[in-house]
Amino acid sequence: MSLLPTAMINKADAAQRRQHSYDEGEITKKRSVCTHCSVGCGVVAEVQNGVWIGQEPSFDHPFNLGSHCAKGASVREHGHGDKRLKYPMKKVAGEWQRISWDQAIDEIGDQMLAIRESAGPDSVYWLGSAKFNNEQAYLFRKFAAFWGSNNVDHQARICHSTTVAGVANTWGFGAMTNSYNDIHNSKCIFIIGANPAEAHPVSLQHILRGKERGGKVIVVDPRFSRTAAHADHYIRIRPGADIPFVWGMIWHMFQNGWEDEQFINQRVYGMDEIRAEVAKWTPDEVERVTGVKEADVFQAAKTMYEHKPGTVVWCMGITQHTVGNSNTRALCILQLVLGNMGVSGGGTNIFRGHDNVQGATDFGVTSNSLPGYYGLSQDAWEHWARVWDVDYNWIASQFDQASYEELNGSPVSPMFTNGITVSRWIDGVLEDPENITQKDILRAMVLWGHAPNSQTRGPEMKAAMEKLDLLVIVDPFPTVSAVMNDRQDNVYLLPAATQFETYGSLTSSNRSVQWREQIMAPLFESLPDHNIIYRFAEKFGFADQLCKHIAVNDGEPLIEDITREYNRGMWACGYTGQTPERLKLQLANLHTFNKTTLKAEGGPCDGEFYGLPWPCWGTAEMKHPGTHILYDTSIPVAEGGSPFRARFGVEREGQNLLAEGSWTAGSEIEDGYPEFTSDMLKELGWWNDLTAEEKAEAEGKNWKTDLSGGIQRVAIKHGCAPYGNAKARAIVWQFPDPVPIHREPLYTPRRDLVAEYPTYEDRRNFYRLPTRYGSIQAQDFSQEFPLIMTSGRLVEYEGGGEETRSNPWLAELQQDMFIEINPADANNAGIRDGRQVWVEGPEGGAVKVMAMVTPRVERGVVFMPFHFGGHYQGEDLKDKYPEGTAPYVRGESCNVVFTYGYDSVTAMQETKVSLCRVRPA
Ligand SMILES: Nc1nc2c(c(=O)[nH]1)N[C@H]1C(S)=C(S)[C@@H](COP(=O)(O)OP(=O)(O)OC[C@H]3O[C@@H](n4cnc5c(=O)[nH]c(N)nc54)[C@H](O)[C@@H]3O)O[C@H]1N2
Ligand SMILES: Nc1nc2c(c(=O)[nH]1)N[C@H]1C(S)=C(S)[C@@H](COP(=O)(O)OP(=O)(O)OC[C@H]3O[C@@H](n4cnc5c(=O)[nH]c(N)nc54)[C@H](O)[C@@H]3O)O[C@H]1N2
Ligand code: SF4
Ligand SMILES: [Mo]
């Protein structure tokens, strides 16, 4: 992509381009959104006779203003689908056979029902996708609930799960607080563990606009990345040492009195405990642990203090660690210390991953929650049973009825217990059944829009795939799942259509909900995901319950009806106001939105924020504009203002958890207050503001469960936030580490630090499985495997890479899997640039890749991209793909070498720090 400032990008005049004689039929334009990353760039597709013939970036679009990266610019290749799966296939005696959809659904369904009978519903794993649109994500979670299991998950687990947990537990919602566009207003842009120049390329346009307007850019990364090249100040850090670094910065802030005392007093709980921990991180200790010199830490702290408001940007360098949840909380605390929250130009701009990972998270395609972060409690199930209008007892009867022993010895039942996470599904297959907190091991695995090479411990995944009774892949491409194992039978490949062959909404990183139009009919025999979900529901006999209030035409559940259904239930995070009609109206009026504030200026959407970013409170009739900047108290809630959420009670150890002396503009309660309930409305004397119908529904309910929306409406009418007005909390007392503390990675070369900063003890039962920590760290692997191994992204490829490596335009750009290694390490090992090397890890995985000798990484650190697959430990698996489907570019997956390690709250996999050795091949 060119990195021209957005103001310099103009629409090229290509009017003459299509005046050829073979062009017959009218060309229509369809508006869609790029299906790769969370920036959410608008794509305009030109369609003629049902064929997608051309594409342009959307010039009106507030996020990309006419620019695209290489991936977005080549999405039309999906519309050709040269390498796509064309029809359902089945592996029989080692050969791929074409079968019909009917046969596929029947055979898979029969086997699943048999597994359900013998081993229980939890023995089938439903791995969903951040590639689903919102409607499909919601329907998928509902489907899993009706199947009767919480063994359902998606990419967010191995992406931002630690952010969601850490951030939601700090101030209420686990999402990006501001927006890419809002970075125009940042005076300091602090980027840590993120490489947006490659991973969110169009976001860089916004970052550079901030920089042009005087914003200082600080980049903290172990590698001198393409983003670092734009920094005013680049700081190289040892992988896995982020907490000490952040505490080191805050140490200087406390020393110099740079904290925002008024903000902390009014809006933060628990800062004293943080002060105590930070006091330990003197400049010497910070340097010893992180490798960063005092002058750099001091300078970063001073720049942030002197250039307010500043924003903090983080991504996978922060989240993908055994201490990921603590990392994210430390960064929240940094912003709380500076009082940078709830202001334009400030906030935590947490760049999300896939195009709809935000939406799939919001709609609960996770093993620990129902849609809307309601959790898995009985109240949550009852809420959704009411929205779905199905009998709660019927849903309950679908689940395994037995009870199992939880960590603390108390009995738990599968319906109310977190399921196995995607990061650990292989252990669900391989672990001794005695150690698993469910009836049996996993026997059937469904990878529905999910690559296998994106998860660690490749050789064990291969073993797990081979041990399963049944393996099902639902994807536009066969994916590495089709080839990385030696199964001869019972693998099914079901062709899903891409998001260009269907329509619906998605939620981009900044919580904006966008509508996509359908560009063309599904290619070949592929079907959109919601059709496939419906077919399985029919087979299992619950299609009528699944679509009780959703029209079904020709086997396709109506997208708009699904949107309307979740609008009736998603009160807790404000997905109730974004009706199909409002979203489509915005799509037709993209040009009316201001490119910095995201607010429509005049026109039919006047005053609304683009994408009605959630929370968009109340019913659509209330016309809430959405919330562009979370926790901004300077504007009324009705106009998109909000305080920190009262989520953690009102008092702890005699201290007030509610806000003190701070409230949103126009609030009639001029102080902190708890979440709204029907009783609270009565106490306040506001109950009679409800209509008679609202009263009937709201009685005994709260702002999250009142299906009339009356409680929200009345709270907002009086200037209040439905969820209360509280302090953010700097300590999360329910977590293993209430105050974020440094713990060395499981595989660390710094044996001198292990005694002082040990990892956790092994745990017996965590997301249904035993989890190892200390027993791994106790062994010293660093003699045999001396290099720190980290991993991440390349701009050309996405995720496991099957789509992008099958795209001829992108495949050309990056043809070899490689490892970045410092010249000194290369010379010591006799490795030359461009030659093949073996990379070997402490758990037995090995990959053969090309060496890229570069000072981008420092001595002792190597980096590999994770987008390759189709080679396994030196062997090209091309012949194992169904004919004509092998991607143009194949290579080793770095996750064959990546090792054990999981976050203590969310079971996020550790993909940013392990150990390896490299030798010439
Ligand atoms: N081209 C492309 N774009 C993508 C994707 C893709 O696959 N390809 N995927 C999307 C998805 S799913 C996501 S989640 C985002 C991810 O986007 P990013 O997180 O920005 O991408 P990564 O390259 O994984 O990691 C970012 C940086 O973290 C650094 N890092 C590694 N370890 C550490 C550490 O311990 N501390 C610190 N401070 N930094 C560390 C790495 O050197 C790397 O430069 O990208 C999205 N966009
Ligand atoms: N070592 C290492 N490993 C990592 C990471 C890392 O930084 N380092 N990053 C992690 C992160 S953040 C993430 S998010 C994951 C990403 O890893 P994955 O999400 O597993 O990667 P993708 O290959 O993008 O998987 C998406 C799949 O969905 C399919 N698909 C596309 N559109 C549709 C659709 O409409 N319907 C259906 N059914 N399928 C569709 C694609 O063909 C593709 O196979 O990788 C994780 N793994
Ligand atoms: S991959 Fe991301 S930055 Fe690139 S065009 Fe697509 S949405 Fe935009
Ligand atoms: Mo991700």
Side-chain angles (χ1 to χ4, degrees):
M1 172 191 95
S2 67
L3 287 174
L4 292 174
T6 44
M8 290 178 64
I9 296 176
N10 282 305
K11 192 166 174 171
D13 185 4
Q16 297 309 309
R17 187 157 54 96
R18 297 199 207 299
Q19 302 304 319
H20 304 295
S21 54
Y22 52 79
D23 267 351
E24 282 173 22
E26 199 191 335
I27 297 174
T28 54
K29 291 198 176 184
K30 300 284 184 187
R31 286 189 180 275
S32 186
V33 175
C34 174
T35 51
H36 294 296
C37 88
S38 67
V39 175
C41 298
V43 174
V44 179
E46 292 156 335
V47 184
Q48 188 180 39
N49 298 326
V51 178
W52 186 359
I53 57 162
Q55 73 168 92
E56 276 178 7
S58 174
F59 287 85
D60 294 339
H61 198 285
F63 297 163
N64 58 312
L65 293 82
S67 55
H68 265 342
C69 73
K71 295 184 299 305
S74 58
V75 285
R76 189 184 66 117
E77 296 311 305
H78 286 293
H80 291 238
D82 300 339
K83 299 282 184 180
R84 287 213 356 218
L85 264 178
K86 300 189 173 51
Y87 26 72
M89 302 196 93
K90 172 189 180 182
K91 200 171 210 183
V92 184
E95 299 293 328
W96 292 111
Q97 290 183 356
R98 177 178 182 171
I99 56 172
S100 69
W101 271 104
D102 286 344
Q103 184 186 346
I105 300 284
D106 261 344
E107 289 183 8
I108 296 167
D110 286 340
Q111 292 186 63
M112 287 181 169
L113 290 168
I115 289 170
R116 182 190 175 93
E117 203 48 44
S118 62
D122 288 325
S123 285
V124 177
Y125 198 100
W126 297 101
L127 178 53
S129 185
K131 293 296 175 202
F132 293 159
N133 63 31
N134 286 335
E135 289 71 25
Q136 294 166 338
Y138 167 80
L139 198 68
F140 190 83
R141 186 60 180 90
K142 188 178 177 187
F143 168 87
F146 288 9
W147 168 262
S149 179
N150 292 325
N151 282 338
V152 50
D153 218 9
H154 82 287
Q155 284 88 353
R157 178 72 53 196
I158 53 179
C159 182
H160 268 297
S161 62
T162 44
T163 297
V164 176
V167 176
N169 275 287
T170 300
W171 46 54
F173 290 125
M176 179 160 169
T177 61
N178 293 38
S179 70
Y180 296 113
N181 300 65
D182 184 60
I183 299 174
H184 302 174
N185 294 324
S186 299
K187 296 283 165 268
C188 181
I189 303 149
F190 179 82
I191 302 173
I192 182 164
N195 183 12
E198 300 214 54
H200 301 89
V202 169
S203 78
L204 214 66
Q205 309 264 10
H206 299 295
I207 294 171
L208 292 181
R209 179 166 295 191
K211 191 179 176 192
E212 269 168 26
R213 293 166 66 165
K216 298 286 170 221
V217 178
I218 304 171
V219 172
V220 185
D221 197 299
R223 298 159 59 227
F224 188 78
S225 63
R226 291 192 194 179
T227 306
H230 293 281
D232 295 295
H233 186 189
Y234 165 66
I235 299 170
R236 202 192 278 284
I237 188 174
R238 176 171 72 98
D242 295 279
I243 296 167
F245 176 78
V246 176
W247 286 169
M249 282 177 70
I250 298 180
W251 188 91
H252 287 292
M253 292 174 183
F254 286 155
Q255 281 286 310
N256 292 288
W258 292 339
E259 68 270 36
D260 184 335
E261 244 178 90
Q262 187 187 352
F263 185 91
I264 294 170
N265 291 340
Q266 293 181 329
R267 300 185 69 188
V268 186
Y269 169 83
M271 198 56 95
D272 291 343
E273 277 95 328
I274 302 300
R275 279 182 189 275
E277 178 62 24
V278 165
K280 300 178 195 161
W281 291 97
T282 57
D284 287 351
E285 189 61 358
V286 172
E287 182 171 345
R288 183 171 82 103
V289 175
T290 65
V292 184
K293 298 245 178 308
E294 173 172 5
D296 278 318
V297 183
F298 176 79
Q299 188 58 46
K302 186 160 180 262
T303 307
M304 286 206 79
Y305 166 66
E306 287 177 348
H307 297 81
K308 291 212 272 185
T311 187
V312 171
V313 174
W314 77 75
C315 211
M316 297 299 105
I318 289 301
T319 64
Q320 294 174 339
H321 293 288
T322 50
V323 293
N325 79 81
S326 295
N327 278 346
T328 67
R329 288 184 288 133
L331 290 168
C332 293
I333 292 164
L334 174 64
Q335 287 295 64
L336 291 172
V337 167
L338 291 167
N340 267 336
M341 293 309 300
V343 288
S344 177
T348 49
N349 277 312
I350 306 150
F351 291 4
R352 298 273 338 220
H354 282 307
D355 61 332
N356 197 31
V357 71
Q358 184 62 54
T361 307
D362 299 335
F363 288 97
V365 187
T366 53
S367 64
N368 57 307
S369 186
L370 288 169
Y373 307 96
Y374 282 81
L376 295 173
S377 66
Q378 183 159 346
D379 287 349
W381 284 104
E382 282 172 355
H383 169 71
W384 281 107
R386 268 180 357 108
V387 177
W388 296 332
D389 190 22
V390 295
D391 181 7
Y392 167 84
N393 292 316
W394 172 75
I395 303 175
S397 72
Q398 291 290 94
F399 278 78
D400 177 4
Q401 301 297 311
S403 92
Y404 303 89
E405 201 181 302
E406 188 42 308
L407 197 55
N408 57 12
S410 61
V412 290
S413 61
M415 183 171 178
F416 307 113
T417 312
N418 293 339
I420 295 171
T421 61
V422 47
S423 50
R424 304 292 309 276
W425 76 262
I426 56 176
D427 292 307
V429 182
L430 301 173
E431 183 63 61
D432 181 345
E434 291 295 302
N435 293 333
I436 306 185
T437 321
Q438 65 176 37
K439 185 167 173 189
D440 199 350
I441 58 169
L442 299 176
R443 298 191 170 275
M445 180 70 199
V446 185
L447 290 121
W448 196 323
H450 206 301
N453 46 326
S454 54
Q455 297 129 73
T456 53
R457 300 163 61 201
E460 286 168 272
M461 181 169 307
K462 178 173 185 292
M465 283 184 168
E466 287 163 5
K467 189 177 171 199
L468 288 167
D469 296 352
L470 170 67
L471 176 60
V472 181
I473 292 122
V474 190
D475 201 287
F477 293 88
T479 78
V480 175
S481 297
V483 298
M484 68 171 283
N485 56 74
D486 292 322
R487 290 182 71 96
Q488 299 301 302
D489 290 288
N490 231 7
V491 184
Y492 289 83
L493 306 177
L494 306 184
T498 67
Q499 295 302 319
F500 302 119
E501 295 144 82
T502 183
Y503 70 100
S505 71
L506 80 159
T507 306
S508 303
S509 196
N510 69 311
R511 297 168 281 105
S512 278
V513 186
Q514 307 198 63
W515 196 263
R516 277 193 187 109
E517 294 177 328
Q518 181 173 14
I519 296 176
M520 57 185 182
L523 281 185
F524 317 113
E525 288 184 18
S526 69
L527 288 176
D529 295 297
H530 52 296
N531 297 46
I532 306 172
I533 295 168
Y534 186 76
R535 291 201 70 151
F536 275 112
E538 279 182 312
K539 175 70 190 173
F540 299 142
F542 54 70
D544 291 346
Q545 286 98 315
L546 187 75
C547 292
K548 192 163 180 190
H549 296 286
I550 299 165
V552 179
N553 306 310
D554 244 350
E556 175 166 11
L558 184 67
I559 289 289
E560 286 86 347
D561 278 359
I562 305 177
T563 318
R564 289 183 196 107
E565 183 174 293
Y566 70 62
N567 287 157
R568 287 197 296 273
M570 295 282 286
W571 305 97
C573 58
Y575 260 101
T576 47
Q578 303 95 334
T579 55
E581 292 73 21
R582 291 184 84 189
L583 295 175
K584 288 177 191 176
L585 188 69
Q586 286 206 344
L587 182 65
N589 292 282
L590 285 174
H591 59 285
T592 63
F593 291 86
N594 181 292
K595 308 298 186 256
T596 296
T597 64
L598 293 181
K599 201 179 210 175
E601 294 168 344
C605 308
D606 192 22
E608 290 178 2
F609 293 107
Y610 178 63
L612 301 168
W614 67 258
C616 176
W617 297 121
T619 59
E621 293 72 53
M622 263 177 62
K623 291 242 167 241
H624 190 268
T627 306
H628 178 200
I629 294 169
L630 281 172
Y631 319 121
D632 177 359
T633 52
S634 72
I635 51 175
V637 179
E639 292 169 25
S642 58
F644 291 131
R645 177 170 166 188
R647 199 175 184 177
F648 319 110
V650 294
E651 212 188 70
R652 181 167 181 267
E653 293 171 353
Q655 278 182 286
N656 185 1
L657 294 177
L658 300 178
E660 292 177 85
S662 159
W663 55 88
T664 46
S667 172
E668 290 178 25
I669 306 179
E670 300 197 329
D671 206 356
Y673 48 89
E675 329 182 60
F676 275 78
T677 61
S678 57
D679 285 347
M680 187 164 144
L681 284 189
K682 288 175 189 165
E683 278 163 35
L684 289 164
W686 297 349
W687 181 248
N688 286 331
D689 291 345
L690 293 170
T691 65
E693 298 86 74
E694 283 172 340
K695 278 184 188 167
E697 168 54 38
E699 185 63 61
K701 304 282 186 350
N702 61 41
W703 66 284
K704 290 192 287 194
T705 56
D706 161 23
L707 302 190
S708 76
I711 295 181
Q712 294 200 356
R713 185 180 66 76
V714 171
I716 292 170
K717 178 175 169 229
H718 291 276
C720 295
Y723 62 50
N725 173 18
K727 295 195 182 83
R729 56 175 183 171
I731 51 168
V732 179
W733 49 88
Q734 298 92 337
F735 279 7
D737 293 328
V739 171
I741 58 172
H742 176 58
R743 294 178 181 276
E744 276 294 307
L746 299 191
Y747 289 94
T748 174
R750 291 296 301 274
R751 303 308 298 176
D752 58 318
L753 298 176
V754 167
E756 259 165 293
Y757 304 107
T759 188
Y760 309 90
E761 311 223 310
D762 288 3
R763 288 164 81 169
R764 194 174 60 87
N765 187 346
F766 179 50
Y767 290 96
R768 304 188 181 189
L769 291 160
T771 306
R772 298 179 61 195
Y773 290 95
S775 63
I776 291 179
Q777 197 182 55
Q779 285 170 269
D780 180 3
F781 296 94
S782 65
Q783 300 305 312
E784 261 192 276
F785 301 95
L787 298 171
I788 298 177
M789 176 172 67
T790 187
S791 66
R793 284 158 173 80
L794 303 176
V795 67
E796 299 84 5
Y797 294 140
E798 173 90 7
E802 206 76 351
E803 290 176 283
T804 40
R805 286 182 289 103
S806 297
N807 182 321
W809 300 102
L810 297 172
E812 190 149 337
L813 300 174
Q814 187 67 257
Q815 302 185 10
D816 294 288
M817 168 63 183
F818 62 89
I819 184 166
E820 293 178 358
I821 182 167
N822 183 274
D825 293 322
N827 291 336
N828 287 341
I831 288 164
R832 301 281 295 267
D833 188 53
R835 303 276 173 86
Q836 293 289 308
V837 295
W838 279 103
V839 182
E840 295 160 327
E843 291 177 4
V847 294
K848 193 177 162 196
V849 303
M850 186 184 278
M852 177 192 274
V853 178
T854 168
R856 204 181 286 171
V857 286
E858 71 177 327
R859 247 184 201 218
V861 177
V862 294
F863 168 90
M864 285 186 283
F866 79 102
H867 313 297
F868 294 81
H871 284 191
Y872 187 75
Q873 315 227 36
E875 187 199 342
D876 188 346
L877 306 176
K878 179 168 190 247
D879 295 338
K880 292 172 99 174
Y881 279 90
E883 206 188 325
T885 63
Y888 294 107
V889 171
R890 295 174 303 284
E892 295 269 9
S893 162
C894 76
N895 282 322
V896 167
V897 198
F898 266 92
T899 46
Y900 200 96
Y902 301 97
D903 174 69
S904 63
V905 173
T906 72
M908 158 70 76
Q909 61 184 7
E910 171 74 74
T911 32
K912 291 289 188 258
V913 188
S914 188
L915 292 173
C916 72
R917 66 175 169 230
V918 184
R919 61 178 174 86

